[in-house]
Amino acid sequence: MARVSPTPRRTVFFRLMEWRSKRTYGKVLAPGRALAHNPRVLRSDPAFAGRCASGPLLMIRSVN
């Protein structure tokens, strides 16, 4: 049995994330559903991933 229910509230942001996940991967991924239980985490996770993907130089500049 899962600790977090696989059916979070269907907010506008979650529906947008769900659409993007279906478009990119063909289905809604389980981590996205788990992140949707905490809206702050759901919003900050793509921003963090984007900063990591852009390289370490940008991360150093944002800290200073």
Side-chain angles (χ1 to χ4, degrees):
M1 184 170 161
R3 291 183 183 195
V4 176
S5 171
T7 54
R9 290 188 321 226
R10 297 189 50 82
T11 62
V12 174
F13 192 75
F14 174 67
R15 282 185 261 157
L16 180 66
M17 187 274 312
E18 196 174 38
W19 170 80
R20 170 85 177 174
S21 180
K22 284 181 185 177
R23 185 170 181 230
T24 306
Y25 305 110
K27 64 180 182 176
V28 179
L29 302 177
R33 290 179 190 247
L35 290 173
H37 284 279
N38 188 336
R40 283 180 158 174
V41 174
L42 181 62
R43 285 187 203 104
S44 66
D45 188 59
F48 178 71
R51 285 190 176 186
C52 290
S54 65
L57 184 60
L58 183 63
M59 289 180 68
I60 291 170
R61 286 184 187 160
S62 66
V63 171
N64 291 331

